[in-house]
């Protein structure tokens, strides 16, 4: 039975080892290496943890024992002090009772007090105080200071936290807080008072005061075995030391030691005094206990040696595992690199026999490694038609004559398909520095070759298109004088130099970076700067005249990123000479149309002008005939003659002004825009239009706002617009057959703000029949007129003139309820016209000419 049990126990003890071995075999080699590497380090950590835990436990136990001993001894000392104070309290209470019962007088009181003070050294004085705080008698110890003497009949000094009042009210013994008599000098010791009240048949008769020396309480009340082991002190509630010895401060260097904890200490209130007096004890650190023993240093030395040996083993194991892992990683990396390469690799020995091929080479040829390794020329992937040329190429390879830039060959797959490949050959050197063969890399270039051919064809088509354009196209880098591209027309105009490109940019006013000293370098001076905003910007247009070519060119430029990444500028110059000639002719025709319109207007106003001129001419004739008759009859004086001549001159001046105004209005001149005064411009137009309005018996009124700004206009053209509008208003009133009282035209000129710009608005209001919907829809249509003799170009020309000044014109009916009571034509001119791009004025004139013709 015993044998069976021992076998069972042996199997039980070996079972964990067997489980460990089975678990170890299941782990991967990398995990085993990790365990081998971390094993010594883990052992070091566990060993150090065990040592630190053992010493920490011992140290904690030692501190706990010291703390328990201090607490026990302090409580013992506190009990001894309590019993001593209670005994003195009972003795003082007996004396107080005898005094209250009048059993003893002052002499007997002094005898008992002297006996009590001499018997108990901590008691410094016993004083009899009546109910009025006056000392009747007192006995003071001979060891007390002179300041502690008590004189009969003298009142006790106030203070002591109201101890006297408290004893009187409670009729119980009361301890005061420890205090220091300031009159006792710098060497006075703190004292403690016990005041025992006296009761004379229910009346308060005073107190018996016993004064204790706190230092005496410590020396005679605390057992000597406690003071020998600890630094005992008596303190108040503010931790002020009243008696006892303060332990010396610890050495700061000792605090750096891990076991240098503070000495054990404990404090407790002294009963029955209360929290005003506490006893504290702090243990002396004479030795370091278990930590300072030789056993500790022996164990520490052995532990350090063990740790050093374990760390050495760990470093050695780690280096060995690292070397193994580096070797395995290098091997795996090389194998992975060979398997993942898209480039085929082939190794030949010096005799031309294949000794190695990688998976990519096998995948390209469609053959297995066993089908290629060991073969000599001709190789199975050579096309039959290229055997001779490939044999000669192989001979050049083996003799070291292969071109360094590689060469192209055709390769046949196992299924018979042929693809293009590029091969590079380099010597194969062994670790001893000797050549053992040739290493060849092969890349399939079928797809890149096809793409390159398509790009070449696309480039050829693109070049053909650019060469056939009727515009000169050029591209040059910013800041350089190199011409990157130029089509046929550019070369025909400017040659193959970049000077023409730069001149076009300069004349067109397109900003370009000036060439620098580094312009001839291969480095782009603008490299690294953001170019997205430039290349995404809109094309800039300009029209320039090139004297060398005697042509007008429309120049368009934009920034682009060249194929090498440099920022470049493309310029497209188109010959617009025929268009400019057509625009000039259209401008001339438009000018003639404006002049004709003014002549037509004056022709329509001829009768009114003749009537207007007839009045001053008739007056002149009458003045002249009258003066002739009176001169012949010698009936006129010099003064009357002078008056008549002045009136004649005024009438002649008036006629001259009318003729000059008409001449200026119909005179043909070049367009001339300048800052014009609105008041003068309107007055000139009203002077001419008023002649026609008076013929139709129409009253002209006007309102011109004060302090109007000057406007940039052609004054003659704006006067023409105002005269046409006022003349049309008079004719509309005439056709309405209105009575004279209702025949009125109003001209209003006011400043306004329209479309976020300051403008001057001109309005012509009439009292005619207004505009019908049909007429309003075709009002500004060319050659449309409601008058039988009208040409239909007046309002169209007026709107074109206003729009050429960047203004707008509109017409609307005036209503009184639902009845049309007139019409209002309004146009406005901006005070500060917007800057027009190059060619805009010419385009505006051309568009007006196209509308009229």
């Amino acid at each position: 039975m015993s044998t069976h049990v021992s076998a069972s126990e042996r199997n039980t003890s070996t079972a964990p080892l067997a489980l460990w071995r089975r678990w170890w075999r299941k782990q991967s080699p990398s995990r085993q290496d990790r365990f081998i590497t971390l094993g010594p380090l883990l052992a070091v950590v566990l060993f150090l943890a065990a040592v630190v835990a053992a010493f920490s436990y011992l140290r904690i136990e030692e501190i706990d024992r010291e703390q328990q001993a201090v607490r026990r001894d302090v409580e013992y000392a506190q009990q001894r002090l309590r019993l001593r104070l209670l005994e003195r309290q009972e003795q003082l209470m007996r004396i107080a009772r005898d005094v209250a019962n009048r059993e003893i007088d002052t002499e007997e009181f002094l005898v008992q007090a002297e006996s009590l003070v001499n018997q108990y050294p901590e008691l410094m004085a016993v004083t009899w105080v009546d109910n009025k705080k006056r000392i009747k008698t007192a006995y003071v110890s001979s060891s007390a200071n002179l300041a502690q003497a008590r004189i009969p009949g003298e009142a006790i000094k106030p203070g002591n936290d109201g101890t006297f009042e408290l004893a009187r009210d409670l009729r119980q013994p009361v301890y005061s807080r420890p205090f220091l008599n300031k009159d006792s000098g710098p060497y006075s010791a703190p004292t403690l008072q016990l005041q025992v009240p006296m009761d004379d048949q229910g009346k308060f008769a005073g107190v018996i005061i016993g004064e204790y020396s706190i230092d005496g309480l410590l020396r005679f009340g605390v057992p000597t075995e406690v003071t020998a082991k600890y630094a005992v002190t008596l303190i108040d509630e503010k931790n002020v030391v009243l008696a006892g010895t303060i332990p010396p401060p610890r050495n700061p260097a000792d605090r750096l030691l891990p076991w240098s904890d503070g000495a054990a200490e404990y404090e407790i209130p002294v009963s029955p005094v209360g929290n005003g007096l506490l006893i504290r004890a702090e243990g002396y650190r004479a030795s370091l206990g278990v930590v300072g023993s030789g056993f500790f240093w022996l164990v520490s030395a052995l532990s350090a040696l063990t740790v050093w040996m374990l760390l050495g083993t760990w470093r050695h194991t780690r280096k060995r595992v690292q070397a193994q892992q580096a070797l395995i990683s290098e091997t795996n990396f090389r194998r992975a690199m060979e398997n993942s390469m898209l480039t085929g690799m082939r190794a030949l020995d010096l005799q031309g026999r294949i000794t190695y091929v990688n998976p990519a080479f096998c995948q390209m040829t469609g053959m297995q490694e066993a089908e290629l390794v060991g073969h000599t020329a001709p190789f199975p992937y050579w096309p039959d038609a290229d055997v001779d040329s490939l044999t000669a190429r192989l001979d050049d390879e083996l003799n070291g004559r292969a071109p360094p830039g590689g060469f192209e060959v055709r390769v046949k797959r196992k299924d018979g398909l042929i693809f293009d490949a590029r091969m590079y050959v380099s010597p194969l050197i062994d670790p001893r520095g000797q050549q053992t063969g040739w290493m060849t890399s092969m890349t399939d270039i079928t797809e890149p070759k096809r793409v390159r051919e398509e790009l070449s064809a696309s480039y050829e088509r693109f070049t053909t298109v650019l060469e056939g354009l009727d515009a000169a196209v050029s591209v040059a880098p910013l800041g350089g004088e190199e011409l990157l591209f130029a089509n046929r027309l550019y070369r025909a105009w400017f040659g193959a130099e970049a000077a023409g490109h730069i001149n076009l940019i300069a004349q067109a006013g397109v900003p370009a970076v000036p060439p620098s000293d580094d312009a001839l370098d291969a480095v782009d001076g603008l490299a690294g700067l953001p170019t997205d905003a430039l290349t995404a910007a809109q094309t800039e247009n300009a029209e320039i005249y090139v004297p060398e070519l005697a042509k007008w060119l429309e120049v368009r430029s934009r920034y682009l990123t060249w194929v090498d990444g440099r920022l470049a500028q493309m310029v497209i110059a188109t010959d617009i000479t025929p268009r400019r000639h057509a625009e000039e002719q259209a401008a001339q025709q438009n000018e003639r149309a404006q002049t004709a319109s003014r002549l037509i207007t004056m022709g329509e106003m001829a009768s009114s002008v003749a009537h207007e001129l007839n009045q001053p001419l008739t007056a002149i004739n009458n003045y002249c005939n009258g003066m002739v008759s009176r001169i012949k009859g010698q009936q006129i004086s010099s003064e009357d003659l002078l008056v008549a001549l002045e009136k004649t001159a005024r009438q002649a001046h008036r006629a001259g002004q009318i003729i000059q105004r008409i001449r200026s209005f119909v005179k043909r001149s070049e367009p001339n825009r300048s800052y014009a005064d609105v008041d003068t411009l309107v007055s000139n137009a009203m002077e001419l239009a008023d002649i026609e309005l008076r013929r139709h018996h129409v009253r002209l009124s006007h309102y011109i706002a004060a302090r109007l700004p000057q406007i940039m206009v052609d004054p003659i053209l704006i006067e023409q617009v105002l005269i046409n509008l006022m003349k049309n208003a008079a004719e509309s009133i005439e056709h309405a057959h209105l009575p004279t009282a209702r025949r009125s035209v109003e001209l209003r000129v006011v400043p306004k703000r329209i479309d976020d710009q300051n403008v001057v608005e001109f309005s012509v209001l009439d009292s005619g029949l207004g505009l019908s919907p049909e007429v309003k829809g075709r009002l500004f249509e060319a050659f449309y007129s409601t008058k039988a003799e009208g040409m239909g170009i007046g309002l169209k020309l007026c709107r074109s003139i206003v729009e050429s000044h960047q203004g707008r014109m509109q017409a609307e009916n005036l209503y009184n309820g639902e009845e049309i009571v007139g019409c209002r034509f309004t146009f406005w001119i901006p005070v500060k016209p917007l800057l027009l791009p190059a060619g805009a004025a010419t385009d505006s004139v051309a568009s007006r000419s196209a509308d009229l013709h």
Side-chain angles (χ1 to χ4, degrees):
M1 183 67 181
S2 60
T3 305
H4 177 71
V5 172
S6 62
S8 176
E9 292 176 352
R10 186 167 53 253
N11 292 336
T12 303
S13 62
T14 58
L17 183 59
L19 293 174
W20 162 256
R21 290 176 178 174
R22 284 198 298 270
W23 177 84
W24 179 258
R25 294 191 188 99
K26 292 180 181 179
Q27 303 303 314
S28 62
S30 61
R31 182 169 295 183
Q32 292 178 359
D33 293 339
R34 194 178 300 113
F35 283 131
I36 293 174
T37 304
L38 297 179
L41 186 60
L42 182 61
V44 171
V45 173
L46 291 177
F47 178 77
L48 292 178
V51 172
V52 171
F55 281 107
S56 299
Y57 174 75
L58 294 175
R59 179 57 183 155
I60 292 172
E61 285 293 323
E62 183 181 3
I63 293 174
D64 186 62
R65 287 195 304 272
E66 291 180 356
Q67 188 66 30
Q68 292 293 335
V70 170
R71 181 173 182 178
R72 185 172 56 252
D73 292 340
V74 170
E75 290 178 350
Y76 170 66
Q78 189 263 357
Q79 290 295 329
R80 289 288 299 272
L81 278 175
R82 177 174 176 273
L83 292 175
R84 195 172 186 89
L85 289 173
L86 289 177
E87 289 177 359
R88 303 296 87 71
Q89 179 178 331
E90 288 294 332
Q91 293 172 349
L92 292 176
M93 288 175 65
R94 284 195 300 270
I95 295 175
R97 186 168 55 253
D98 293 342
V99 171
N101 294 332
R102 296 181 178 86
E103 295 179 0
I104 60 174
D105 54 6
T106 56
E107 295 180 358
E108 183 65 25
F109 173 81
L110 290 176
V111 171
Q112 293 186 15
E114 180 181 4
S115 174
L116 194 61
V117 169
N118 293 332
Q119 185 178 0
Y120 303 103
E122 70 272 13
L123 193 61
M124 301 297 298
V126 178
T127 307
W128 178 1
V129 180
D130 61 10
N131 56 357
K132 295 182 180 180
K133 292 188 179 181
R134 293 188 176 276
I135 300 174
K136 294 193 67 175
T137 185
Y139 180 80
V140 180
S141 174
S142 59
S143 62
N145 291 330
L146 295 177
Q148 292 178 329
R150 302 290 183 263
I151 302 173
E154 190 180 64
I156 62 172
K157 295 181 181 179
N160 298 330
D161 298 331
T163 307
F164 180 85
E165 290 78 5
L166 189 61
R168 180 188 62 194
D169 296 339
L170 297 179
R171 303 294 176 88
Q172 292 181 2
V174 177
Y175 285 91
S176 69
R177 293 181 179 274
F179 65 93
L180 186 65
N181 193 347
K182 297 180 180 179
D183 298 332
S184 301
Y187 301 102
S188 62
T191 59
L192 177 71
Q193 285 186 357
L194 170 62
Q195 297 190 13
V196 180
M198 294 184 295
D199 190 3
D200 184 8
Q201 296 180 359
K203 294 181 180 180
F204 178 71
V207 295
I208 301 299
I209 300 177
E211 292 189 37
Y212 294 94
S213 170
I214 296 180
D215 184 67
L217 286 176
L218 178 65
R219 283 191 297 159
F220 301 105
V222 178
T224 56
E225 62 268 20
V226 176
T227 57
K229 293 167 56 179
Y230 308 101
V232 182
T233 56
L234 291 176
I235 61 175
D236 60 7
E237 70 275 9
K238 297 180 180 180
N239 288 330
V240 176
V241 178
L242 303 175
T245 57
I246 302 175
R250 299 173 58 196
N251 188 358
D254 294 341
R255 299 177 183 176
L256 301 177
L257 300 176
W259 54 80
S260 60
D261 298 326
E265 62 179 23
Y266 185 72
E267 63 183 31
I268 188 173
V270 176
S271 179
V273 178
N275 293 329
L277 184 65
L278 294 89
I279 181 171
R280 174 192 290 172
E282 182 177 353
Y284 295 111
R285 293 291 299 169
S287 65
L288 296 177
V290 67
V291 178
S293 63
F295 172 73
F296 170 78
W297 296 110
L298 177 61
V299 172
S300 299
L302 293 176
S303 300
L305 180 62
T306 304
V307 169
W308 179 77
M309 294 176 63
L310 290 175
L311 289 177
T313 304
W314 173 70
R315 285 196 299 269
H316 175 73
T317 305
R318 187 180 62 174
K319 290 181 180 178
R320 187 186 67 180
V321 172
Q322 288 177 349
Q324 293 177 352
Q325 291 177 348
L327 181 60
I328 294 173
S329 299
E330 182 71 19
T331 304
N332 294 336
F333 174 75
R334 290 180 176 273
R335 185 178 294 109
M337 184 176 61
E338 294 174 0
N339 295 336
S340 61
M341 284 181 60
L342 300 179
T343 302
M345 304 297 296
R346 180 200 66 183
L348 301 177
D349 59 12
L350 296 177
Q351 287 74 34
R353 182 181 293 103
I354 298 177
T355 59
Y356 166 79
V357 289
N358 70 337
F361 193 93
C362 296
Q363 186 178 2
M364 288 182 183
T365 58
M367 302 178 185
Q368 299 295 328
E369 182 180 0
E371 298 177 292
L372 296 174
V373 174
H375 268 271
T376 57
F379 299 124
Y381 53 83
W382 282 2
D384 297 337
D386 300 340
V387 171
D388 294 339
S389 61
L390 292 176
T391 301
R393 177 76 69 181
L394 178 62
D395 184 64
D396 291 340
E397 292 180 30
L398 297 178
N399 292 304
R401 296 192 298 269
F407 53 89
E408 292 186 12
V409 295
R410 296 199 309 158
V411 179
K412 182 180 68 174
R413 293 177 54 85
K414 188 175 182 179
D415 55 7
L417 295 178
I418 297 178
F419 63 91
D420 295 319
R422 174 170 289 274
M423 289 189 173
Y424 299 89
V425 181
S426 60
L428 184 62
I429 308 299
D430 63 4
R432 294 174 295 179
Q434 296 181 359
Q435 182 177 354
T436 59
W438 301 91
M439 178 61 71
T440 305
S441 62
M442 182 175 68
T443 305
D444 186 356
I445 62 171
T446 304
E447 184 63 19
K449 189 174 182 180
R450 182 188 65 80
V451 173
R452 185 169 61 252
E453 292 175 353
E454 291 182 357
L455 288 176
S456 299
S458 175
Y459 175 77
E460 184 177 355
R461 291 192 297 269
F462 178 71
T463 305
T464 302
V465 172
L466 289 180
E467 292 291 339
L469 287 178
D470 57 353
V473 181
S474 60
V475 180
L478 289 181
E481 298 182 355
E482 176 189 1
L483 191 63
L484 300 177
F485 175 81
N487 69 342
R488 176 187 55 80
L489 188 57
Y490 177 90
R491 296 194 299 272
W493 284 352
F494 305 104
E497 301 295 331
H501 177 93
I502 298 174
N503 291 336
L504 289 177
I505 294 176
Q507 293 186 44
V510 179
V513 178
S516 60
D517 297 337
D518 301 331
L520 300 178
D521 295 344
V523 179
D524 187 2
L526 301 176
L529 296 178
T531 60
D532 295 341
L534 287 176
T535 55
Q538 296 181 353
T539 305
E540 300 179 0
N541 299 345
E543 295 181 2
I544 63 173
Y545 180 75
V546 182
E548 295 83 358
L549 302 177
K551 296 178 183 294
W552 280 94
L553 300 180
E554 180 185 21
V555 179
R556 290 171 291 173
S557 68
R558 69 171 298 159
Y559 298 98
L560 52 86
T561 303
W562 194 240
V563 293
D564 57 0
R566 287 185 291 174
L567 185 62
Q569 191 172 19
M570 179 178 65
V571 175
I572 302 175
T574 307
D575 186 3
I576 59 171
T577 304
R579 192 188 78 187
R580 290 297 296 248
H581 290 166
E583 291 174 353
E584 293 174 359
Q585 293 177 2
Q588 295 173 3
Q589 291 175 0
N590 185 68
E591 183 181 351
R592 288 195 294 269
Q594 294 174 1
T595 305
S597 175
R598 292 195 293 272
L599 292 174
I600 291 171
T601 302
M602 294 309 303
E604 294 174 349
M605 297 171 57
S607 60
S608 301
V609 172
H611 175 73
E612 186 71 18
L613 289 174
N614 187 50
Q615 291 181 0
L617 292 177
T618 301
I620 292 172
N621 183 45
N622 292 335
Y623 285 138
C624 290
N625 291 333
M627 286 187 293
V628 169
S629 298
R630 295 182 67 179
I631 290 174
K632 287 181 179 181
Q634 297 181 356
Q635 298 176 354
I636 188 170
S637 63
S638 300
E639 291 79 4
D640 295 337
L641 180 62
L642 182 60
V643 172
L645 289 175
E646 288 177 352
K647 292 182 179 180
T648 303
R650 282 198 296 271
Q651 295 297 328
H653 179 69
R654 179 186 174 191
Q657 281 185 331
I658 296 173
I659 295 173
Q660 180 63 29
R661 183 62 55 211
I662 295 172
R663 182 175 180 275
S664 299
F665 180 71
V666 300
K667 180 182 178 183
R668 180 180 179 181
S669 61
E670 296 295 329
N672 181 20
R673 296 190 183 186
S674 60
Y675 282 103
D677 185 68
V678 177
D679 292 339
T680 304
L681 188 147
V682 173
S683 298
N684 293 338
M686 289 175 55
E687 186 175 351
L688 291 177
D690 190 49
I691 299 174
E692 180 70 11
L693 267 63
R694 287 201 305 271
R695 186 173 70 87
H696 293 291
H697 305 288
V698 176
R699 183 177 70 257
L700 176 62
S701 62
H702 67 279
Y703 171 76
I704 303 175
R707 296 187 296 274
L708 287 174
Q710 291 185 335
I711 55 177
M712 175 68 74
V713 294
D714 189 331
I716 297 299
L717 295 181
I718 300 302
E719 289 178 15
Q720 181 178 353
V721 173
L722 290 173
I723 291 172
N724 281 340
L725 293 180
M726 289 187 287
K727 176 176 157 299
N728 289 345
E731 292 175 352
S732 175
I733 295 174
E734 179 69 22
H735 292 160
H737 304 291
L738 298 175
T740 305
R742 294 180 55 189
R743 291 171 175 257
S744 64
V745 173
E746 181 183 4
L747 174 62
R748 296 179 60 84
V749 184
V750 294
K752 280 194 174 183
R753 185 166 182 83
I754 300 176
D755 296 338
D756 294 332
Q757 59 178 335
N758 296 323
V759 302
V760 177
E761 184 183 73
F762 301 83
S763 301
V764 178
L765 298 85
D766 63 64
S767 57
L769 298 177
L771 302 172
S772 64
E774 179 185 359
V775 173
K776 191 173 182 180
R778 304 181 62 185
L779 190 62
F780 298 105
E781 184 177 331
F783 306 112
Y784 174 77
S785 177
T786 59
K787 296 181 290 185
E789 70 279 4
M791 297 180 59
I793 64 173
L795 287 177
K796 175 65 178 176
L797 187 61
C798 288
R799 190 176 73 167
S800 299
I801 292 173
V802 171
E803 291 180 351
S804 69
H805 287 79
Q806 302 182 22
R808 294 291 182 272
M809 174 180 283
Q810 61 183 5
E812 58 182 347
N813 289 326
L814 300 177
Y815 292 88
N816 183 9
E818 296 182 356
E819 180 185 2
I820 299 177
V821 295
C823 181
R824 175 168 57 198
F825 278 82
T826 304
F827 71 92
W828 54 263
I829 303 295
V831 175
K832 293 183 179 180
L834 301 176
L835 295 177
L836 291 175
T842 306
D843 293 342
S844 177
V845 174
S847 64
R848 296 199 303 271
S849 176
D851 291 337
L852 293 175
H853 300 285

